[in-house]
Amino acid sequence: MKKTGILIEADKGIVKPSLFGVITYLHQLGLTLYGLAPGMDAGSAAEQLAGLGMDKIIIVKEDEHLGMNPQHIAAGLAQAVVQAGITHLFGLSSASGRQILARTASILGAPLMLDCTRVDLERHRVETTRYSGKTRAIVEFSGDRSVFGMRPNFFKPPAREKGPAPEVIAFSPDPVDTTGICFKRTLASQQNSVDLTEADVILSGGRGMKTKENFSLLHACAEHLNAAVGASRVAVDEGWVPYAMQVGQTGVKVNPKVYIAWGISGSVQHFAGMKTAGIIIAVNTDENAPIMSKCDYYAVGDLFEIIDALTQKLETGSFGG
Amino acid sequence: MKIFVCVKHVPDSAAVITVKDDCRIDNRVTHIINPYDEHAITGACQIRKTCSSAEVVALCLGRDTALDGLRSAMAMGADRGILIRTDQDHDAMDTAAALKAAMDRDGGPDLVFTGKEAIDTNGGETLFRLGALYRMPAMSNVVSVVLDRNQADIICEEEKGTRTEFEVRLPCILGAAKGLNQPRYPTMPDIIKSRKKPIDILDYADLDLDPLPAATRVVRLTACEEDRNPAQLKGDADQVADQIIQVLKHQARVI
């Protein structure tokens, strides 16, 4: 049976929720599944990943001084893949996952397919997108090993049952010279507490937000929904919010269950970043804005009044059944 | 100091993409320099200012039409261009091997800039492939670069907008993100001047690259259909908010 690995991404020790659906999907394909968890605590990894049908968890040890060096993590991961005889390495096509997978694939000389929504290991094919979501693509791959980034929020998470915890083993990679990159420090994050690529709900603001200060209204509303706040290109170009928050062809590609566009006209480029959203709701004063005819629900009206009403209702929980 | 900027000529983000032969796109649409690569060119030119003997070379693997992209790169400030001419699409592994071969023929890089990803394939992997082939440090999503002798002090923007500072040894590969700078769009004199700048043309086949043991290939493309039927949420602000909550609660089940 093919031995496959899955990169376990965790945020402050918590396994990213998007991974559970991916693990279940791979398990259903009948693959032997090894979790590769760089720098994670063994007990916590076993507990969080129990009952998903994984065969083993390999804790890839990190040098504590180098744990923030991305090349160090990728080098350890690549060694673990080779050591365990893994032929197919999976992970999330999240912002951080894409980079670590690209580094690892480069070290292994293995092809990399990102944003996958289906894999067929027998026929060496995956389903993904090209041209910023304007086309669906079937990509064929060859080589002894392959690396895959699976689209976050696409694979349905399982109904969790209490199951056995997988065996956990530790792997200490040989030291590799990664001194060319030296981590200095992390500067304080200015905005989202939820990653855009993995958020279930995104509130995105555009030209209609009018000022930088008004974005705090979206943040306040987002808090009640555990939502991330995004923006259109106009809003970042105006300097209202940082570039990291831009959704679109030259920004982040997102797949939330619900995308609410506040005062966004909906250019082709913006759609390229959010067209895979489950439900799109548009609020705009202009009923002829392009987004109004390409969404699921639209409201014509003053977005500030609607945000206020929405935040208030969520705050007080004053919305019946 | 020789700074290479690897650029890609991609379909304009506003272009309507049509599929031909089930596996490729109609290439007759308007092509532009990949938007992130404009930040890479601008970043390289800013470094040239601080460094008397620096030269900025724009390098592109592409079809003949990519010469236009190289001309734009030179109008934005690159000193000269190299086109690796091909009539095919190449995956990131192939592309990195070709870019490296061309840079090596030209004396090799002291610093390489690229955009953090291309807007057609959205992989962002070529810069890491180059890093692995050269055994050079590679960093993506770079929003600040300051050269300090044989190292670059850089800031990378990561998920959720977190910024991280690194010291990176030169030579290295840097993937430019939007926050790096504001590209200055060329003026008419810039464009005229750029016509006199030299472009070397190499044929991909003449690079004599060893076949790679692994590859990816698009075997089928289909245009994505838009299939949403918009319904209006009617009423005053209060009523609209109520309906949004109903959707969140009952249809999407996120609250």
Side-chain angles (χ1 to χ4, degrees):
Chain A
M1 204 192 288
K2 287 192 174 74
K3 260 193 211 168
T4 60
I6 177 152
L7 167 61
I8 305 298
E9 264 196 81
D11 192 7
K12 299 190 179 76
I14 308 295
V15 172
K16 291 196 167 177
S18 259
L19 273 168
F20 297 123
V22 174
I23 295 169
T24 305
Y25 172 76
L26 296 172
H27 181 59
Q28 283 162 358
L29 295 181
L31 304 167
T32 305
L33 262 186
Y34 288 6
L36 299 169
M40 253 189 109
D41 173 73
S44 161
E47 191 189 322
Q48 293 185 65
L49 296 166
L52 290 165
M54 295 183 85
D55 294 86
K56 253 182 212 172
I57 296 172
I58 303 172
I59 303 290
V60 185
K61 294 281 180 196
E62 288 172 356
D63 184 323
E64 59 178 307
H65 302 294
L66 295 174
M68 297 299 283
N69 180 330
Q71 193 64 20
H72 173 71
I73 299 169
L77 203 54
Q79 283 188 37
V81 163
V82 174
Q83 165 83 28
I86 288 167
T87 50
H88 299 79
L89 173 65
F90 294 87
L92 283 180
S93 227
S94 59
S96 50
R98 295 163 67 93
Q99 287 208 29
I100 195 91
L101 292 173
R103 282 184 191 278
T104 310
S106 299
I107 295 169
L108 293 169
L112 171 69
M113 278 69 61
L114 291 172
D115 202 31
C116 299
T117 49
R118 205 157 58 86
V119 296
D120 181 345
L121 300 188
E122 296 307 316
R123 298 178 68 202
H124 303 277
R125 286 179 172 196
V126 298
E127 186 179 279
T128 173
T129 56
R130 280 288 186 277
Y131 304 99
S132 297
K134 288 176 191 167
T135 63
R136 239 192 311 278
I138 305 290
V139 175
E140 196 175 70
F141 55 92
S142 63
D144 298 337
R145 286 203 176 83
S146 317
V147 182
F148 309 83
M150 309 298 276
R151 180 183 291 178
N153 287 357
F154 179 82
F155 299 93
K156 280 218 170 63
R160 291 294 287 277
E161 290 160 27
K162 279 230 159 75
E167 181 194 352
V168 181
I169 54 174
F171 172 73
S172 299
D174 292 331
V176 174
D177 178 20
T178 54
T179 52
I181 300 171
C182 176
F183 168 78
K184 300 302 286 180
R185 60 192 179 122
T186 297
L187 308 168
S189 170
Q190 314 148 288
Q191 56 271 307
N192 281 322
S193 53
V194 184
D195 184 4
L196 275 168
T197 57
E198 291 161 71
D200 276 340
V201 181
I202 293 175
L203 308 182
S204 232
R207 191 189 299 277
M209 293 303 294
K210 292 187 178 143
T211 66
K212 181 176 187 162
E213 289 67 35
N214 285 338
F215 267 85
S216 61
L217 302 173
L218 285 187
H219 281 289
C221 187
E223 241 173 71
H224 300 293
L225 291 166
N226 194 29
V229 175
S232 72
R233 177 168 177 174
V234 175
V236 285
D237 282 353
E238 288 285 343
W240 298 340
V241 292
Y243 288 107
M245 286 169 67
Q246 186 187 334
V247 172
Q249 187 157 13
T250 55
V252 188
K253 317 286 178 298
V254 298
N255 317 285
K257 289 184 181 144
V258 183
Y259 187 89
I260 312 185
W262 303 92
I264 293 178
S265 65
S267 65
V268 177
Q269 291 91 333
H270 189 73
F271 260 87
M274 43 63 98
K275 66 196 296 179
T276 57
I279 299 168
I280 299 172
I281 304 176
V283 179
N284 209 305
T285 46
D286 176 8
E287 62 182 310
N288 295 318
I291 197 164
M292 306 299 247
S293 59
K294 297 200 288 190
C295 60
D296 299 287
Y297 298 101
Y298 67 97
V300 183
D302 183 292
L303 65 90
F304 298 109
E305 285 178 16
I306 299 171
I307 294 174
D308 272 348
L310 185 61
T311 308
Q312 224 166 58
K313 285 171 197 289
L314 292 167
E315 212 163 51
T316 56
S318 66
F319 50 91
Chain B
M1 179 175 204
K2 193 178 280 183
I3 309 171
F4 282 96
V5 187
C6 301
V7 300
K8 189 173 184 185
H9 207 216
V10 297
D12 190 332
S13 58
V16 177
I17 300 290
T18 46
V19 175
K20 275 174 74 178
D21 308 333
D22 283 343
C23 67
R24 57 198 180 90
I25 62 157
D26 187 336
N27 262 316
R28 288 172 302 181
V29 295
T30 309
H31 278 58
I32 54 170
I33 288 195
N34 178 43
Y36 294 110
D37 300 348
E38 296 183 341
H39 297 273
I41 295 160
T42 308
C45 293
Q46 282 168 347
I47 284 175
R48 183 182 53 195
K49 269 193 210 152
T50 65
C51 202
S52 58
S53 62
E55 182 190 29
V56 175
V57 185
L59 172 61
C60 180
L61 169 68
R63 295 176 166 79
D64 275 322
T65 48
L67 280 169
D68 294 340
L70 282 173
R71 287 276 166 225
S72 318
M74 293 190 299
M76 290 183 76
D79 297 301
R80 59 188 173 90
I82 301 174
L83 173 69
I84 309 167
R85 185 164 54 189
T86 178
D87 55 6
Q88 285 167 17
D89 293 325
H90 298 271
D91 68 18
M93 290 177 283
D94 230 8
T95 302
L99 294 173
K100 177 176 186 293
M103 285 192 275
D104 286 344
R105 283 189 175 202
D106 205 80
D110 295 305
L111 179 60
V112 180
F113 271 99
T114 73
K116 70 167 182 128
E117 67 181 43
I119 62 167
D120 54 354
T121 45
N122 292 119
E125 55 170 308
T126 303
L127 72 122
F128 292 116
R129 303 268 177 204
L130 276 174
L133 290 177
Y134 269 120
R135 295 180 176 274
M136 285 178 191
M139 299 299 291
S140 191
N141 255 334
V142 176
V143 293
S144 167
V145 185
V146 178
L147 287 200
D148 180 10
R149 283 186 295 273
N150 61 345
Q151 83 178 31
D153 297 331
I154 64 164
I155 298 175
C156 298
E157 194 169 69
E158 281 153 33
E159 59 184 313
K160 300 184 206 166
T162 310
R163 290 176 163 224
T164 312
E165 281 184 22
F166 294 94
E167 280 172 11
V168 183
R169 194 173 56 210
L170 294 181
C172 64
I173 324 277
L174 301 178
K178 278 190 157 187
L180 182 61
N181 48 47
Q182 285 287 344
R184 186 182 64 89
Y185 291 98
T187 58
M188 205 55 207
D190 292 332
I191 293 169
I192 292 166
K193 227 166 43 184
S194 75
R195 292 193 189 133
K196 294 194 182 124
K197 294 179 178 175
I199 296 183
D200 283 333
I201 299 179
L202 305 171
D203 272 318
Y204 175 80
D206 291 342
L207 291 174
D208 268 334
L209 297 171
D210 293 328
L212 294 172
T216 63
R217 186 170 68 93
V218 174
V219 290
R220 195 181 176 87
L221 274 186
T222 40
C224 287
E225 302 293 333
E226 295 286 342
D227 51 358
R228 296 181 196 263
N229 291 311
Q232 186 172 7
L233 307 174
K234 290 181 185 154
D236 60 19
D238 206 60
Q239 290 163 322
V240 169
D242 274 331
Q243 294 168 75
I244 291 176
I245 286 172
Q246 292 305 311
V247 172
L248 292 169
K249 193 166 180 181
H250 297 294
Q251 195 180 342
R253 297 171 193 269
V254 288
I255 52 174

